[in-house]
């Protein structure tokens, strides 16, 4: 099959390698691939090209993504966890809840290719559970010489290991790296396909200007991700990972850093606070939810118009034998004070024209995913309405209902049932939540440095141009305010470097 001329050299090689598996009688060493490339290298473009070609050949392709936002960028994509029924509570022996003979099992048997985008975000145990389920469906033994990964299905995973690793509660460096796909028994069985040419920013003349240390913006961003920017240590016995931020990107700190930062990112706010395109293009990002809330509260106070407050209904559910005692010990008033990452607050204050982020995958088919941003256009009693900002469904107005969320947090001896609109204001968002968003103007607010692998890289790679990036850093007095930490766990992706040279298989 001819390689499409629209692809660059690396994309063409990857295309050839994958498509080769659909041609008759080839010598096959592996049918499991990982497409590795940083943001803008054309992974999505390549998935679409492969999809188009296999469609022409009449093949079935299942497309999934680890996050709702990534799923909205690919045709007919769904979220991997729901598509493959991956258990939420997972351990080393888990499999997916896919029964033989069901329509889903038949669909998997009939599929020629599985594409899974943003794979590095997902815990390796999830891939291992899918591997077990596929082997079961395909009647392939899990051990011994007959074993083939994913039961012999051709699988193309993709993503960037420079970004944040799977979230593991209270994990240190070792546990975080151990959760990565690169630590799975599956990893040595995959063929890595590399993309490194940035197709998104290279054409932009402004980005070709040197911004720092002889590098242009795309190169600098990538060196941040690779953890190869020159770094210092300011605290004895602490890691040498403090890097200098280009002067041109700095906002000087003041006594009122939030006001200073937001007035730069949301310039002309009083005139433009109701413009969806203005809100779509910008956001502040910061490592923790506490600072996100501070920024959002400040911005809400600047919006003209009345506030509408929505309170959740909170109840608790427990199977414990002393359920009565637990209910007495944790009254509703106490439950209302609890906050959980990724869940709505008990009290949500909103105004028309405020931007919110959806916290649940309500209906990915119409763009309502965990991470979708919307501008509020209607605040009713039973329903709120928003205009989707960004992505494939940009500009669509949708209704958001109240939903019941079961919050199972190991710190508490109960499951909290919270009935609330699954939204949070998003003039600012955590760096982890910003993964997958593309913006024109981003203010990175660091009242404390980042605390995890890939966070600084995710933050700086949200924008397409150096001009769109602003930092406000508040450091201890002994550390200059143009330095911040760049945490990179090299061991999470060092195994990828040795596979950079891939030779094209014979066609
Ligand atoms: N071969 C190509 N020819 C023309 N344009 C391309 C090519 N490859 C990619 N692009 C364009 O470059 C931009 C970035 O590509 P794409 O979105 O596929 O990158 P990505 O690696 O998926 O990025 P991210 O990880 O940030 O989602 C898009 O506008 C895409 O259309």
């Amino acid at each position: 099959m001819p390689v499409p001329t629209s692809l660059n050299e690396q994309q063409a090689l990857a295309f050839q390698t994958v498509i080769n598996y659909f041609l008759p009688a080839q010598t096959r060493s592996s049918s499991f691939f990982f497409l590795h490339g940083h943001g803008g290298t054309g992974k999505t473009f390549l998935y679409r090209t492969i999809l188009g070609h296999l469609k022409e050949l009449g093949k079935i392709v299942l497309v999934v993504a680890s996050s709702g936002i990534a799923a909205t960028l690919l045709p007919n994509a769904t979220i991997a966890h729901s598509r493959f029924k991956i258990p939420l509570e997972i351990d080393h022996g888990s499999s997916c809840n896919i029964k033989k003979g069901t329509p889903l099992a038949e669909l998997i048997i009939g599929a020629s290719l599985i594409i899974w985008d943003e794979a590095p975000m997902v815990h390796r145990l999830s891939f291992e559970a899918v591997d077990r389920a596929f082997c079961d469906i395909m009647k392939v033994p899990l051990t011994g010489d007959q074993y083939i990964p994913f039961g012999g299905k051709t699988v193309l995973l993709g993503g960037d290991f420079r970004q944040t690793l799977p979230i593991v509660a209270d994990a240190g460096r070792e546990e975080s790296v151990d959760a990565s796909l690169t630590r799975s028994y599956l990893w040595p069985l995959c063929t890595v396909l590399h993309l490194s040419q940035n197709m998104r920013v290279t054409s932009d003349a402004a980005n070709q200007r040197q911004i720092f240390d002889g590098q242009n913006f795309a190169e600098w961003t990538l060196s941040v991700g690779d953890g190869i920017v020159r770094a210092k240590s300011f605290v004895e016995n602490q890691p040498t990972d403090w890097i200098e931020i280009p002067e041109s990107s700095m906002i000087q700190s003041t006594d009122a850093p939030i006001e200073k930062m937001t007035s730069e990112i949301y310039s002309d706010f009083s005139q433009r606070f109701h413009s969806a395109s203005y809100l779509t293009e910008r956001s502040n990002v910061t490592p923790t939810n506490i600072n996100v809330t501070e920024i959002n509260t400040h911005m809400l106070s600047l919006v003209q118009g009345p506030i509408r407050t929505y309170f959740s209904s909170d109840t608790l559910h427990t199977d414990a034998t002393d359920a009565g005692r637990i209910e007495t010990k944790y009254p509703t008033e106490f439950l209302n004070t609890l906050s959980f990452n990724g869940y709505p607050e008990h009290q949500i204050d909103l105004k028309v024209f405020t931007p919110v982020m959806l916290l649940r995958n309500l209906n990915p088919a119409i763009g309502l995913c965990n991470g979708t941003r919307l501008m509020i256009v209607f605040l009713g009693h039973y329903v709120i309405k928003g205009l989707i900002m960004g992505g494939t469904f940009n500009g669509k107005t949708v209704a958001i209902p109240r939903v019941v969320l079961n919050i199972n947090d190991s710190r508490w001896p109960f499951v909290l049932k919270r009935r609330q609109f699954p939204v949070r204001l998003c003039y600012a968002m955590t760096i982890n939540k910003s993964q997958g968003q593309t913006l024109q103007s981003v203010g990175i607010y660091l009242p404390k440095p980042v605390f995890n692998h890939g966070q600084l890289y995710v933050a700086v790679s949200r924008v397409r141009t150096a001009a769109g990036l602003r930092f406000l850093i508040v450091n201890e007095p002994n550390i200059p305010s143009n330095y911040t930490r760049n945490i990179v766990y090299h061991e999470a992706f060092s195994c990828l470097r040795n596979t950079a040279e891939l030779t094209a298989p014979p066609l």
Side-chain angles (χ1 to χ4, degrees):
M1 171 168 295
V3 177
T5 50
S6 58
L7 298 178
N8 68 31
E9 211 178 308
Q10 290 173 319
Q11 290 170 330
L13 183 54
F15 175 89
Q16 245 182 342
T17 309
V18 176
I19 291 292
N20 185 36
Y21 281 81
F22 303 99
L23 301 177
Q26 298 298 325
T27 315
R28 298 172 173 203
S29 54
S30 155
S31 58
F32 170 29
F33 306 97
F34 189 93
L35 182 66
H36 191 242
H38 57 88
T41 48
K43 299 181 292 298
T44 312
F45 191 89
L46 181 60
Y47 298 140
R48 285 176 176 272
T49 310
I50 292 173
L51 269 167
H53 273 69
L54 291 183
K55 210 171 158 194
E56 267 179 39
L57 295 176
K59 308 275 182 196
I60 298 173
V61 183
L62 285 183
V63 189
V64 298
S66 301
S67 71
I69 285 292
T72 60
L73 299 176
L74 285 163
N76 301 324
T78 49
I79 294 148
H81 270 78
S82 57
R83 164 57 87 194
F84 297 134
K85 299 184 182 294
I86 302 170
L88 292 176
E89 302 275 320
I90 200 158
D91 61 32
H92 288 83
S94 296
S95 183
C96 304
N97 186 19
I98 308 172
K99 301 234 167 7
K100 279 186 196 153
T102 57
L104 178 56
E106 295 305 316
L107 183 65
I108 291 167
I109 291 169
S112 298
L113 174 68
I114 317 284
I115 293 177
W116 185 332
D117 194 22
E118 297 270 24
M121 288 173 77
V122 168
H123 201 292
R124 69 179 168 83
L125 294 179
S126 298
F127 296 104
E128 293 170 9
V130 172
D131 177 43
R132 277 183 209 101
F134 280 21
C135 283
D136 183 40
I137 295 167
M138 301 300 293
K139 302 193 176 86
V140 167
L142 275 166
T143 51
D145 291 348
Q146 302 293 309
Y147 167 73
I148 339 173
F150 299 103
K153 290 272 101 181
T154 302
V155 172
L156 173 63
L157 308 181
D160 184 1
F161 283 100
R162 297 174 191 89
Q163 298 200 343
T164 54
L165 295 173
I167 295 169
V168 182
D170 305 321
R173 177 171 183 150
E174 216 170 293
E175 291 100 324
S176 292
V177 174
D178 186 58
S180 167
L181 172 64
T182 55
R183 291 300 166 98
S184 170
Y185 64 82
L186 289 162
W187 185 254
L189 306 172
C190 92
T191 301
V192 182
L193 309 165
H194 289 272
L195 300 183
S196 60
Q197 189 181 346
N198 195 328
M199 302 299 286
R200 186 176 282 145
V201 298
T202 43
S203 60
D204 190 320
N207 277 322
Q208 293 306 315
R209 281 204 307 269
Q210 293 186 357
I211 66 153
F212 204 60
D213 261 3
Q215 294 179 311
N216 64 36
F217 182 60
E219 289 163 350
W220 180 77
T221 307
L222 211 50
S223 340
V224 171
D226 284 331
I228 54 171
V229 176
R230 268 184 299 154
K232 280 187 176 184
S233 172
F234 289 99
V235 187
E236 218 177 314
N237 300 324
Q238 291 293 309
T240 307
D241 57 10
W242 290 79
I243 65 164
E244 192 177 351
I245 299 302
E247 199 55 47
S248 55
S249 299
M250 291 296 302
I251 300 174
Q252 291 313 314
S253 185
T254 63
D255 292 345
I258 287 180
E259 286 77 353
K260 181 82 187 282
M261 164 118 261
T262 51
S263 66
E264 282 235 8
I265 301 303
Y266 291 99
S267 55
D268 298 329
F269 188 71
S270 58
Q271 274 84 53
R272 303 181 67 193
F273 69 94
H274 44 57
S275 158
S277 61
Y278 168 85
L279 293 171
T280 306
E281 287 165 4
R282 63 203 70 228
S283 189
N284 289 286
V285 299
T286 185
T288 63
N289 268 316
I290 294 175
N291 302 118
V292 166
T293 305
E294 278 175 359
I295 297 173
N296 283 333
T297 307
H298 168 66
M299 293 304 297
L300 184 69
S301 72
L302 304 180
V303 178
Q304 294 158 28
I307 281 193
R308 179 123 197 202
T309 298
Y310 295 96
F311 293 104
S312 69
S313 144
D314 291 349
T315 50
L316 64 79
H317 174 78
T318 176
D319 291 334
T321 45
D322 56 349
R325 192 185 62 82
I326 290 177
E327 276 166 21
T328 316
K329 194 168 165 195
Y330 300 106
T332 306
E333 293 72 17
F334 172 77
L335 301 179
N336 294 161
T337 64
L338 298 177
S339 284
F340 303 89
N341 279 349
Y343 289 91
E345 298 290 335
H346 165 62
Q347 176 176 345
I348 303 179
D349 293 330
L350 296 173
K351 290 181 183 177
V352 171
F353 302 125
T354 51
V356 294
M357 182 179 276
L358 201 59
L359 301 174
R360 278 292 164 277
N361 291 311
L362 286 185
N363 189 351
I366 57 163
L368 292 184
C369 298
N370 189 341
T372 300
R373 293 189 305 144
L374 307 108
M375 185 179 84
I376 294 292
V377 293
F378 172 76
L379 293 170
H381 185 66
Y382 298 108
V383 83
I384 60 179
K385 287 186 183 169
L387 190 84
I388 295 182
M389 303 198 299
T392 320
F393 299 91
N394 186 40
K396 259 190 80 172
T397 301
V398 289
I400 302 166
R402 277 195 169 93
V403 294
V404 177
L405 299 150
N406 291 324
I407 309 174
N408 193 352
D409 186 312
S410 56
R411 287 173 300 170
W412 305 106
F414 52 77
V415 174
L416 175 67
K417 279 184 182 293
R418 175 162 287 175
R419 188 167 179 277
Q420 178 59 291
F421 292 109
V423 297
R424 178 169 281 207
L425 276 176
C426 75
Y427 290 104
M429 57 185 115
T430 60
I431 291 174
N432 285 42
K433 265 286 182 203
S434 74
Q435 198 159 307
Q437 308 275 353
T438 301
L439 303 156
Q440 282 186 26
S441 179
V442 167
I444 304 179
Y445 176 49
L446 297 170
K448 284 206 172 106
V450 296
F451 54 85
N452 225 331
H453 167 87
Q455 283 181 317
L456 195 68
Y457 171 63
V458 167
V460 300
S461 57
R462 289 315 89 214
V463 287
R464 295 188 167 132
T465 65
L469 193 64
R470 310 292 282 150
F471 277 86
L472 197 153
I473 302 173
V474 185
N475 282 334
E476 301 287 326
N478 59 328
I479 302 175
S481 64
N482 57 337
Y483 275 80
T484 197
R485 288 189 74 190
N486 179 30
I487 302 178
V488 178
Y489 299 159
H490 291 270
E491 65 274 28
F493 58 90
S494 53
C495 56
L496 286 156
R497 299 228 167 85
N498 305 329
T499 51
E501 295 305 321
L502 175 81
T503 45
L507 279 182

